[in-house]
Every structure is written in structure tokens, then in C-alpha cells.
Amino acid sequence: MLETNTNQKKDIAVLIPCYNESQTIEKVVKDYKEAYPDATIYVYDNNSTDNTAQIAEEAGAVVRHEYAQGKGNVIRSMFKDIDADCYIMADGDDTYPPVPEMADLILSRKAHMVIGDRLSSTYFQENKRPFHNTGNRAVRWLINHLFNIDVKDIMTGSRAFSYEFVKTFPVLSHGFEIETEMTIHSAAHDLRMVEIPVEYRDRPEGSESKLNTYSDGIKVLKMIARLFKEYKPMLFFGSLAFILFIISLILFIPVLSEYFQTGLVPRFPTLIVAGILMLIALLLCVCGLILEVIVKKNRQIFELFLIKTKR
């Protein structure tokens, strides 16, 4: 529990999804119990083959199990099952310490989501996986430009959420792309995001990351493309339409030039292809316009739902 200005105690839930983190989970649970002495620590074990669940329970955590493999599936169960005024999400690998300021920002209603920014502190010095560093930079650049935001650490697992965010966030991801989905959801719905630097330290020796640089990176990119299409359909379909329009013009202009010079159209196949591409471009524009109207209507419904969810 945490006191507010009105002396009303607020519930804090610390959420720790885990898969084979027996080496570090005890320290993580104890660190968060010390940082948030009145909070409830939840450890959701995701089919661990070691004794992660037993160690977490002995350390004082409430242990539950999620049998659908993947971090996104775990987060979905956590958000569905647990009610609190403030949610602190952490990883069980002890790569960053708890930051009590996160809860303060949520409980004072200064943010719907607080992001623990590793990249502005020690991440690039501590992280020994160079392709992860490159991937983080690429994903950050892509999302910031597509969604017109300025978030420094897109894929961090150190976050805090308000009750409104948790109960209005539709979890669609199954794996490690969940953090990226959270950021895009906040950007698309103008939910307040605040970043604070957190110290990053690499995994201790003997502890292995479950993140696969290539396969999980591809999943993240596919998820970004899908959400970009769903949240910004006019820009998505309009961009495709513009590309096809330019190709159509490139094919059509020489045919038109020959017609003016000779009065003949000797390259009918090229003319037909140019016409088909132009037609597809027009259809894509229409699709974008229709979907844009639907997105705006869904946005209105979301805002009403957000008001009703206010705790």
C-alpha cells in the first residue's frame, strides 16, 4: 500500500513473468519487496523446467502458472486476473533494479504508463549481444517515425501502468513483442507515457536470455507493420497506392508519348498493366479512407470505455 495526498491507501501489484529464472528470481522478489514493502508480488511461472516457482514462493511471492507459452500470454493473464491501482512490471532476470518513482508517477496520475529507459543509462555498455543493440535502435527509429513519438527504449520490460491502461489494453501478442505493442497502443490512443532512466546490468553468468535475436526480431517487425496498418490505415494504404501510382505513370508516359508522335499504341500490354496498377492504387486509396473512418469511430468508443474504466 502507498499513501496519497488524500490519505487513501492504494494497491500496488508487482508483476514478474518468469521462465527458468531460478538463478535470479529470489533476489528479484526480495528487491521488489524491499522497494515496495506493502505491494503484492506476483510471479507467473510460464512452464519453467527448473524450480523457479518454488524459489519465488519461498521468497514471499504469490506464485501462479500460465501454461500458454510466451511472455505476451503471461501478461494477458496477469492483466486479466489482477486488480490494483498501480502495476509494476519487471523481468525475473535481475537486469535492472526496482525504481519506486515509477509507482509515484502512476498514483499521482501523471502517466498511464511509465517506461524504464535502459538505453540512456548503461545498456550499451553492459549488454554483450551486439545484434540486440542494433535491433533496439532500429525498432526505436521505426516506431518513433511511424507513430510520431519520441520514446528512447521501446522494448524494455521495466514498466509501470495505471488501472485504466491495464484494463483497456487488448493484448494480442504472444511473445516478446508485447512491450512494443504496449508502446504503440499508448501512442495510438494518446495515453500519457513518461520515461525515467533505469540502471541496466547484464545477466549474471549462467543465466541465459530466452530472446532470440532473429526470430523474435522478425515477430516484432511483423507486429509493427500490422499495428501500423490497423492504427494508421490511410497512411499505410495511401503509401502503397502512391508507389503503384508512380509505377503506373512510369509505364504509361512512354506509351502516351508514342501515341502523340505516331497516333498508334504499339505496346498494348504495357498500357494494360499501367491501367491495372492505376486501378489498384485507386482501390487502395478507397480502402484507406474507409478504414480511417472506422479507426476514428473505434477511437471514440475507446475514449468512452476509458472514462468508464477510471478507478
Side-chain angles (χ1 to χ4, degrees):
M1 305 291 186
L2 192 113
E3 296 284 345
T4 64
N5 292 334
T6 60
N7 293 322
Q8 181 182 3
K9 290 184 177 180
K10 299 289 186 179
D11 294 325
I12 299 178
V14 177
L15 313 179
I16 308 176
C18 274
Y19 173 63
N20 288 346
E21 299 290 3
S22 59
Q23 185 173 345
T24 54
I25 188 59
E26 180 180 8
K27 181 177 184 302
V28 172
V29 171
K30 290 182 177 179
D31 285 349
Y32 276 89
K33 285 181 70 68
E34 182 179 350
Y36 304 98
D38 297 318
T40 304
I41 313 293
Y42 294 92
V43 171
Y44 272 57
D45 183 68
N46 193 207
N47 302 313
S48 293
T49 56
D50 58 14
N51 56 345
T52 295
Q54 179 184 346
I55 295 173
E57 191 169 9
E58 291 173 353
V62 176
V63 176
R64 295 179 180 176
H65 297 270
E66 172 54 49
Y67 298 104
Q69 195 66 39
K71 188 174 183 179
N73 292 320
V74 179
I75 299 299
R76 181 185 297 108
S77 293
M78 288 176 159
F79 284 5
K80 179 179 65 176
D81 297 343
I82 300 169
D83 290 336
D85 297 291
C86 173
Y87 300 78
I88 306 295
M89 188 176 82
D91 290 329
D93 55 10
D94 192 34
T95 53
Y96 42 76
V99 183
E101 184 185 351
M102 286 184 164
D104 296 335
L105 289 169
I106 294 295
L107 294 174
S108 62
R109 297 192 174 276
K110 293 179 180 178
H112 287 103
M113 179 171 68
V114 181
I115 300 172
D117 172 19
R118 308 160 301 167
L119 304 190
S120 295
S121 59
T122 55
Y123 183 84
F124 294 113
Q125 291 76 37
E126 288 287 324
N127 185 27
K128 305 302 189 298
R129 296 159 293 180
F131 288 109
H132 284 215
N133 297 340
T134 303
N136 266 292
R137 290 189 179 100
V139 170
R140 176 178 62 185
W141 181 90
L142 187 61
I143 291 179
N144 283 338
H145 282 78
L146 289 179
F147 293 91
N148 194 30
I149 56 176
D150 184 21
V151 175
K152 297 180 179 65
D153 193 350
I154 302 291
M155 303 176 71
T156 177
S158 175
R159 295 173 187 255
F161 313 99
S162 66
Y163 176 84
E164 292 82 4
F165 180 96
V166 166
K167 298 305 179 182
T168 60
F169 174 52
V171 180
L172 302 177
S173 302
H174 298 291
F176 285 102
E177 63 269 32
I178 180 67
E179 288 94 356
T180 307
E181 185 182 9
M182 290 172 173
T183 305
I184 294 175
H185 174 77
S186 296
H189 292 96
D190 292 330
L191 298 176
R192 293 186 301 278
M193 292 184 285
V194 175
E195 284 191 288
I196 58 175
V198 297
E199 177 188 354
Y200 178 85
R201 48 187 179 249
D202 205 10
R203 281 175 171 268
E205 186 176 352
S207 175
E208 295 183 2
S209 173
K210 287 75 182 177
L211 179 64
N212 184 287
T213 303
Y214 302 103
S215 63
D216 288 308
I218 291 172
K219 290 178 184 177
V220 169
L221 293 176
K222 288 171 64 177
M223 187 270 302
I224 293 172
R226 175 177 59 80
L227 293 181
F228 179 55
K229 177 190 66 178
E230 293 175 359
Y231 286 131
K232 294 181 177 289
M234 188 64 242
L235 185 55
F236 179 85
F237 288 102
S239 299
L240 294 177
F242 180 74
I243 293 171
L244 293 181
F245 174 76
I246 295 300
I247 295 174
S248 177
L249 283 183
I250 292 173
L251 295 174
F252 176 69
I253 288 175
V255 175
L256 183 65
S257 177
E258 286 182 354
Y259 173 76
F260 282 133
Q261 291 174 7
T262 65
L264 301 173
V265 182
R267 294 190 290 171
F268 266 107
T270 302
L271 180 62
I272 292 171
V273 171
I276 291 173
L277 292 178
M278 183 66 71
L279 181 59
I280 294 174
L282 292 174
L283 289 174
L284 287 173
C285 279
V286 172
C287 287
L289 287 170
I290 294 173
L291 291 173
E292 191 75 18
V293 173
I294 294 174
V295 167
K296 288 185 178 180
K297 181 58 65 175
N298 288 340
R299 176 72 181 276
Q300 292 172 352
I301 295 172
F302 175 83
E303 290 295 331
L304 294 174
F305 187 54
L306 187 65
I307 292 171
K308 292 181 179 180
T309 310
K310 188 173 181 180
R311 195 173 172 94

